[in-house]
Amino acid sequence: MPYKIICIIFFSLLFGKPALALPHANPVPGGIALVELPAAGDNIKAYFQKKRLAIVYENNKPYALVGIPLSTRAGKQQLQLKTAQGSQQLAFTVKPKTYKAQYLTIKNKRKVNPYEKDMARINKERKKKNRAKKHWSQQPVHADFITPVKGQISSIFGLRRFFNKQPRRPHSGLDIAAARGTPIHAVADGKVIEAGNFFFSGNMVYIDHGQGLISLYAHMNRIDVKVGDSIRQGQVIGLVGSTGRVTGPHLHLAVIANQTLVDPLLFLDELNPEK
Ligand SMILES: [Zn+2]
């Protein structure tokens, strides 16, 4: 049996369905829009709110993959297209979405109200996170994600969060609860651009999938990759854990497109209840 077929069977058994070519468009704050482009080519650049967009293809048609920030107002929005001929605007519509509140109790109070001496570390890590978020690599985009961990969804993207009754930033990813030590698989081919231990996120890995599309894995028990490593889809990059600010062992998966955190479920056909 050819190696490729064996691999396909293996991944089908592991992850259920074959991977999607493109994510599901859901043009809401925290979602993504797929805006068809009038032309393709290396000299075409697309931007939303001055941030460069990934360009993806389906049936040879080019689309701008637009990550829509949670703070975006519903209504008509524009993206900018720059070509050799000049620039033009393309309109798309953002629909409203209301996110529910979530109240969590964290036993380690220091992770909710850090000590003064923790602040230097937190600020340093914020810079690292921002640098990773802004990473750009000019290469074809790998947007055909697979589910990284077998487990139960324990929290969804965008929930307005309260830790020990104190308001904090909305939930920036998808939580999949699984036993400590469960292997975490890379969602797609890519390259490790950041890996290390962070105050809130615990052991965390960022993988670049091309043109600003990045996956992020947090609270890991163990990291098995390092910055600069080339990763294949499905490769084990570490194990599920409970490092950082958590209530129990789980994988926090986040997806970044055009420097914007978006709902990972739009990329995970198998888990998406709205598909
Ligand atoms: Zn989370």
Side-chain angles (χ1 to χ4, degrees):
M1 201 181 281
Y3 175 71
K4 202 171 175 190
I5 305 228
I6 296 172
C7 283
I8 290 168
I9 292 171
F10 174 71
F11 281 118
S12 304
L13 286 173
L14 250 185
F15 302 108
K17 287 186 180 170
L20 261 187
L22 289 188
H24 289 276
N26 188 20
V28 297
I32 56 170
L34 289 170
V35 180
E36 196 180 335
L37 299 178
D42 286 344
N43 54 357
I44 291 182
K45 291 176 182 172
Y47 298 84
F48 181 55
Q49 296 175 349
K50 297 197 171 134
K51 294 186 174 97
R52 193 159 169 199
L53 304 172
I55 296 177
V56 291
Y57 291 85
E58 191 170 65
N59 301 326
N60 290 322
K61 276 189 194 155
Y63 297 85
L65 194 167
V66 190
I68 305 166
L70 273 172
S71 56
T72 305
R73 263 200 257 153
K76 205 175 156 192
Q77 296 286 342
Q78 307 268 12
L79 63 87
Q80 283 74 45
L81 207 57
K82 287 185 185 166
T83 67
Q85 285 76 41
S87 62
Q88 68 181 98
Q89 312 262 340
L90 282 179
F92 67 101
T93 304
V94 174
K95 294 186 219 154
K97 177 163 180 173
T98 313
Y99 290 93
K100 289 189 181 129
Q102 184 183 38
Y103 298 85
L104 293 167
T105 305
I106 304 287
K107 283 195 197 113
N108 183 352
K109 292 187 173 65
R110 187 174 169 184
K111 296 285 177 194
V112 180
N113 299 107
Y115 300 161
E116 194 142 343
K117 62 179 179 190
D118 296 327
M119 290 318 291
R121 179 183 169 189
I122 291 166
N123 289 331
K124 214 165 124 190
E125 290 175 359
R126 189 172 294 142
K127 281 186 194 146
K128 265 192 184 181
K129 288 180 176 186
N130 280 332
R131 199 163 54 225
K133 213 168 158 182
K134 287 180 182 165
H135 184 89
W136 180 271
S137 63
Q138 189 57 46
Q139 53 164 313
V141 186
H142 294 281
D144 50 340
F145 288 6
I146 56 167
T147 303
V149 155
K150 270 187 173 285
Q152 286 290 321
I153 293 178
S154 54
S155 179
I156 54 172
F157 174 89
L159 297 176
R160 293 175 293 115
R161 278 191 152 172
F162 296 82
F163 289 108
N164 303 349
K165 295 183 183 153
Q166 299 169 57
R168 290 293 181 269
R169 278 199 235 170
H171 189 217
S172 62
L174 174 76
D175 289 349
I176 306 172
R180 184 175 288 114
T182 305
I184 300 167
H185 303 265
V187 293
D189 289 1
K191 199 168 203 173
V192 178
I193 54 168
E194 181 62 72
N197 185 270
F198 291 74
F199 185 83
F200 293 117
S201 309
N203 293 323
M204 176 160 66
V205 170
Y206 286 74
I207 301 179
D208 163 36
H209 303 293
Q211 299 181 31
L213 183 65
I214 294 160
S215 61
L216 171 171
Y217 312 77
H219 310 307
M220 297 163 78
N221 193 43
R222 195 180 82 195
I223 296 176
D224 290 345
V225 292
K226 58 183 190 311
V227 172
D229 284 359
S230 286
I231 302 294
R232 303 301 299 184
Q233 184 177 52
Q235 186 178 329
V236 174
I237 57 163
L239 306 176
V240 170
S242 53
T243 54
R245 184 178 61 190
V246 295
T247 55
H250 71 282
L251 171 69
H252 170 95
L253 171 74
V255 177
I256 297 163
N258 47 284
Q259 303 175 39
T260 302
L261 288 149
V262 294
D263 186 353
L265 274 180
L266 300 174
F267 290 78
L268 302 173
D269 204 37
E270 194 184 28
L271 297 179
N272 192 346
E274 288 171 14
K275 70 177 182 216

